[in-house]
Amino acid sequence: QGQQYWLIGNGLRQGDQIFFESLNATRGASFGSNFNPDDVELIDWGSLRLRLSCNEGVAQYESQINGFGSGELRLVRLTSIAQLGCPSITSRLEELYEVNVSEILDSSEVPGRDLDVLDLAKNGSILARDFNDDSVWLRREGSDEFELLENNNRLGAPQLSEAGDNIIAQQIDRITGLSTIVRWSEEEGWAPIADLPVANPLLIGQSFSGETVFGGGGTGVDQQPFWSWTEAQGLALMDTIFEGMPLIPVALSEGATSFLALQSNVPFQPSPRTLWFSNGAAVELVSDDSPEALSSWVVACDRSCTTKYGIAVDDSPDDGTLWLSVNGSTAELIEQTIVDPEAFKAPYLTAVSGDGTIAAGTFLPHSAPSRNSDAFLWAQDLGFVKLSDLLVDGGLELRENNLIQVRALSDDGLKILVAISSSGSFGPSISRGALIQLNPH
């Protein structure tokens, strides 16, 4: 009769369809201050199966209520969001953005040094490290020069805060080999983080803003205990136990209220289980093509750690596939489309934007070892984008052999920090850094 009739239910994805086994209508109860939940009556309406493409779909329904019966409806899309294409219809990057590429580092111009760019701050500051002596360098906002941040010890895994005002690192004594977690600021220089629960701590990482730092014990197979630290709240131990098994946290939200964890975190070896912890509850992730536990060998998440990405691996890391999960949803496997499958080996996730809209990683053109690697971006409105094409189109000249890696993404993903190790047939390799700026049309 043309009247609205509201139905509520949870759907289960089955391939390219969504099946609602039970939809409910409601009646009874009053609105506002007279509302009494005991007056609500749930009516079992029936089931619904949706099969949707980008601009059309089919709804098959079977109702238990007189007057509805069963049947099929053809669906047509009426509206869309500007610059957001369907997952199967992606736009070319240049249709959405103006691309600017600038070279920010050429290590051949820094005598006696082999600097490698690592991180990017919101104010434009850039972090670099010299792998020859494990020293840390900073290019401050508005400057074109990298400045050495003096420290007599080795510095591992340095990371720059989003604001650009401090750096976290694992300091390793050159004589004893013992480690300390230290933080650098303009006011204090390098200073240790106090009250850590172990004598030889291991730095795992930090939240997107850099305000929350986390790590482990540094000794033993399971690296217990795991801890998080903020300047405001100090130290907190992390509960990573699931079904009696200690898991390893690898990415977290601000304040460590949500985090991703793996059963194992051995380089180049997939973890058989991937879990998401949120406010004390654990969700084991599965993929959309199998009810089995999701096997991943690298994972990352956005600022709130609700949008999560990883590389799913069945047997060999050579054949990994990017996946995406929002909150605790089934992980969607995303097949790359930029090169032949045989030229997309050992994909590795390296960065996720703060808002979770863009993920970046690397891949090899053939099985390791290789003197070349390329990098990719993925976003729903773009699909996969090949970084070497983006750099060349932006005017950056690449040499014969190049190892390309996205090191950091801004909060909105529109600033991309890229590290490039270039070499020719003869002569040493040269570390370079580039900044890609995407400006929406």
Side-chain angles (χ1 to χ4, degrees), residues 131-424:
F131 286 90
N132 290 327
D133 62 0
D134 293 326
S135 59
V136 171
W137 299 64
L138 181 66
R139 195 182 89 161
R140 303 169 194 271
E141 177 186 8
S143 174
D144 293 329
E145 302 292 332
F146 282 88
E147 175 188 344
L148 173 64
L149 304 181
E150 295 284 353
N151 190 307
N152 293 326
N153 296 292
R154 295 167 51 205
L155 293 169
Q159 296 165 73
L160 182 62
S161 68
E162 183 184 17
D165 56 355
N166 63 70
I167 299 166
I168 195 77
Q170 180 158 330
Q171 178 178 282
I172 303 171
D173 189 284
R174 294 184 183 276
I175 298 175
T176 66
L178 296 177
S179 68
T180 308
I181 309 303
V182 293
R183 192 170 69 150
W184 175 90
S185 66
E186 291 280 8
E187 298 78 17
E188 298 184 14
W190 293 104
I193 291 177
D195 302 325
L196 294 182
V198 290
N200 198 33
L202 171 71
L203 175 64
I204 297 178
Q206 64 179 13
S207 62
F208 189 85
S209 72
E211 294 180 4
T212 303
V213 178
F214 71 110
T219 58
V221 176
D222 60 9
Q223 301 174 355
Q224 291 280 348
F226 294 106
W227 49 265
S228 66
W229 179 90
T230 66
E231 186 172 22
Q233 300 178 352
L235 179 76
L237 294 181
M238 300 175 66
D239 182 6
T240 65
I241 304 298
F242 179 75
E243 296 180 350
M245 176 177 56
L247 302 175
I248 302 170
V250 290
L252 49 59
S253 67
E254 311 296 343
T257 55
S258 298
F259 61 90
L260 273 171
L262 299 176
Q263 180 177 331
S264 60
N265 194 22
V266 179
F268 308 109
Q269 294 294 325
S271 166
R273 306 174 84 174
T274 308
L275 286 100
W276 176 59
F277 289 75
S278 181
N279 296 314
V283 176
E284 183 162 14
L285 299 183
V286 297
S287 70
D288 56 6
D289 70 342
S290 170
E292 301 296 325
L294 183 64
S295 177
S296 305
W297 74 302
V298 60
V299 295
C301 59
D302 66 349
R303 181 188 298 276
S304 63
C305 211
T306 54
T307 301
K308 302 169 288 295
Y309 294 87
I311 301 296
V313 179
D314 288 330
D315 299 311
S316 168
D318 264 5
D319 303 316
T321 304
L322 181 69
W323 60 259
L324 164 66
S325 171
V326 180
N327 289 320
S329 69
T330 298
E332 176 187 358
L333 298 180
I334 309 169
E335 297 291 342
Q336 66 86 20
T337 55
I338 48 177
V339 294
D340 184 276
E342 292 303 311
F344 192 83
K345 295 296 185 182
Y348 194 91
L349 190 67
T350 59
V352 172
S353 62
D355 62 9
T357 59
I358 297 182
T362 63
F363 66 94
L364 302 179
H366 51 75
S367 299
S370 175
R371 297 185 66 186
N372 286 280
S373 71
D374 210 328
F376 66 83
L377 297 177
W378 181 89
Q380 183 169 337
D381 57 345
L382 296 172
F384 279 84
V385 176
K386 190 178 176 185
L387 253 291
S388 58
D389 292 343
L390 203 58
L391 293 169
V392 171
D393 291 345
L396 191 71
E397 183 178 349
L398 298 178
R399 301 180 70 182
E400 181 179 346
N401 299 300
N402 301 279
L403 300 174
I404 302 172
Q405 183 174 3
V406 174
R407 285 289 167 77
L409 295 170
S410 63
D411 183 64
D412 58 8
L414 300 184
K415 286 185 179 180
I416 306 160
L417 182 66
V418 184
I420 309 158
S421 179
S422 300
S423 64

